[in-house]
Amino acid sequence: MTPQDGPRRLTSVEVAGRLGIKVETLYAYVSRGRISCTRTQEGSLFDPLEVEAFAARNRPRPLRRHGASTARPLMVLDTDLALVEDDELYLRGQSASDLARTSTVERVAAWIWHGDWEAPLSSPPTTDLAQVATLLASLPAGADRIDQLQAAAIGLGTTDPGRDEISQGALQRAGARFLHGVPRLLGDPFTPGVETRSVAETLWLALTPHPPRPEHVRAVDAALILTIDHDLAISTFAGRIAASGRASGYAVLSAALGAFASPLHGSISVTTVQLLRSVLDGAAPEDALRTAVRSSAARLPGFGHFLYADGDSRATTLLELIPDLPHGTEVTAAVTDLTEVVNRRSSQHPNIDLALAALVLAAGMHEGDGPLLFGLGRSVGWIAHGLAEQTERPLRLRPQGRYTGP
């Protein structure tokens, strides 16, 4: 076998992501001879087989105590939902970018949950929505979009008489009620004909002042599909832990949303909106970036992701749709200006948070609507992971503590 016939060599970013370490730590291992690399004009490349052997050698050993079950590391879980390979995201083997350009979030959810693109997804009845709408209306003025998503999960659960049923069907019903119910709750759930509109169109009508056009609805559908799943994010893991305890679908959503409501995960797009807004308002991109880096928990909001070497394919796909939105021309120009400045000083590319921020501003949405789009799209993945966890041994994700106190 010649070298070009072998497996594709990995970049330092890919290897660091695989090993769960920083790139700087990886190069420290190289300098100590613990792992080898090949220097090329494109950078350092690593043999994937050697990387896997290194990972196996350095995997933490299970802890065993007398009379206790073996505790295993929780850093690696099998999943058949999302795969990032060659800078592309795939959902169950299908290109997420292709799905975003051609399908609707309802069809993708039906396929992921039921294995059938045409499977019907139940929508909550108006009587249930009326009760949940009262709950959302009672939230304090400071409640943000993630608070509303959490309240919707609780409300839709309490109005579902079968919420505590432990079954695949109950999880699927919870996911469908949430996916269809949230967009209606954000607008007027009693508008005639609202139940016949798609999720994306209902969201557009609820969040923007502009009449919906097909290209507008396509952009919202794309955002929801592209955020369905992405490796094992902290929110997804939190949802799987709840599912491991045989929680209801609504509790799985609530647990996931609790982890999602963090400045390094679900809320990053809000900071990124502020960055983009600053440029739209006339600030120099360099000044806007400097302010964002100082004020954000993220190192550089809207740019970079350790799973991608040459750019987040989700961002590339969604940004292609931004020019067709009501304020798309000026927002696209601001994204271009920011990207040029970042590319001159680093190798980081736009990620999904920047694309969501661009969608929010180009559509005329509220600046806090990014996490809403992200969380609603990701709810499809959270339910899918809950369905997968129900097929596993209950409570398998309970770690074993190591006492370090006095």
Side-chain angles (χ1 to χ4, degrees):
M1 176 185 291
T2 61
Q4 56 266 35
D5 294 328
R8 182 182 69 85
R9 289 183 171 265
L10 304 178
T11 67
S12 57
V13 173
E14 290 172 321
V15 175
R18 169 65 183 88
L19 299 177
I21 60 177
K22 295 180 180 179
V23 173
E24 294 83 354
T25 304
L26 173 61
Y27 283 125
Y29 290 162
V30 171
S31 66
R32 296 171 192 159
R34 297 185 62 185
I35 189 170
S36 63
C37 70
T38 302
R39 310 284 185 181
T40 70
Q41 291 182 340
E42 291 76 29
S44 298
L45 297 178
F46 295 79
D47 182 341
L49 301 181
E50 183 183 358
V51 170
E52 290 306 311
F54 181 88
R57 289 196 306 271
N58 291 273
R59 185 174 296 130
R61 293 182 179 179
L63 299 175
R64 189 181 295 276
R65 292 179 183 160
H66 179 69
S69 61
T70 300
R72 292 180 172 84
L74 298 182
M75 295 307 294
V76 178
L77 291 180
D78 291 336
T79 174
D80 65 354
L81 183 50
L83 168 70
V84 176
E85 187 172 76
D86 295 332
D87 282 350
E88 289 289 336
L89 171 64
Y90 297 90
L91 298 175
R92 294 265 162 85
Q94 299 286 321
S95 164
S97 293
D98 289 347
L99 293 173
R101 296 185 183 104
T102 60
S103 193
T104 66
V105 70
E106 298 98 311
R107 282 175 53 81
V108 176
W111 167 61
I112 287 176
W113 295 340
H114 298 275
D116 180 359
W117 296 93
E118 306 301 332
L121 301 182
S122 58
S123 181
T126 303
T127 51
D128 289 3
L129 291 175
Q131 296 182 66
V132 183
T134 301
L135 173 62
L136 264 63
S138 69
L139 292 175
D144 61 19
R145 289 304 198 189
I146 300 179
D147 295 324
Q148 291 178 326
L149 288 174
Q150 291 174 317
I154 294 171
L156 290 168
T158 55
T159 56
D160 183 353
R163 68 168 177 170
D164 293 325
E165 174 191 345
I166 300 176
S167 70
Q168 299 269 299
L171 275 173
Q172 291 160 342
R173 184 176 68 250
R177 281 166 57 90
F178 189 78
L179 182 63
H180 279 289
V182 166
R184 292 177 62 183
L185 287 165
L186 295 174
D188 182 356
F190 314 111
T191 301
V194 66
E195 66 278 356
T196 65
R197 296 194 187 107
S198 71
V199 168
E201 183 180 4
T202 306
L203 264 183
W204 181 274
L205 288 167
L207 301 181
T208 84
H210 305 284
R213 298 171 58 89
E215 58 268 30
H216 303 163
V217 176
R218 166 55 51 212
V220 175
D221 257 324
L224 297 175
I225 292 169
L226 291 167
T227 53
I228 283 176
D229 195 45
H230 198 241
D231 196 48
L232 200 66
I234 58 170
S235 57
T236 303
F237 188 42
R240 285 199 76 134
I241 291 174
S244 177
R246 297 302 182 256
S248 72
Y250 306 100
V252 168
L253 292 170
S254 295
L257 284 164
F260 183 73
S262 61
L264 292 178
H265 187 19
S267 301
I268 295 181
S269 63
V270 176
T271 306
T272 312
V273 165
Q274 294 166 354
L275 166 63
L276 203 50
R277 168 63 69 190
S278 180
V279 175
L280 287 169
D281 289 343
E286 294 86 350
D287 295 336
L289 285 164
R290 191 178 302 112
T291 300
V293 169
R294 284 201 302 262
S295 60
S296 173
R299 291 182 179 179
L300 184 58
F303 290 88
H305 197 292
F306 72 92
L307 289 178
Y308 300 92
D310 296 316
D312 186 338
S313 60
R314 301 170 299 169
T316 302
T317 302
L318 186 53
L319 287 172
E320 290 173 354
L321 305 176
I322 300 303
D324 292 330
L325 301 183
H327 308 286
T329 301
E330 54 266 42
V331 170
T332 298
V335 168
T336 300
D337 291 344
L338 279 171
T339 302
E340 288 176 352
V341 171
V342 172
N343 286 346
R344 285 200 302 266
R345 302 186 179 184
S346 75
S347 59
Q348 298 189 75
H349 302 276
N351 61 29
I352 188 63
D353 299 307
L354 184 64
L356 286 173
L359 172 59
V360 165
L361 292 174
M365 298 179 185
H366 185 272
E367 291 191 357
D369 285 345
L372 169 67
L373 296 169
F374 194 168
L376 187 62
R378 187 57 59 92
S379 72
V380 176
W382 292 332
I383 292 297
H385 279 274
L387 292 168
E389 195 56 44
Q390 270 200 352
T391 66
E392 302 287 349
R393 176 173 53 85
L395 295 176
R396 73 179 183 121
L397 299 185
R398 184 194 184 283
Q400 180 172 305
R402 191 202 309 268
Y403 178 71
T404 61

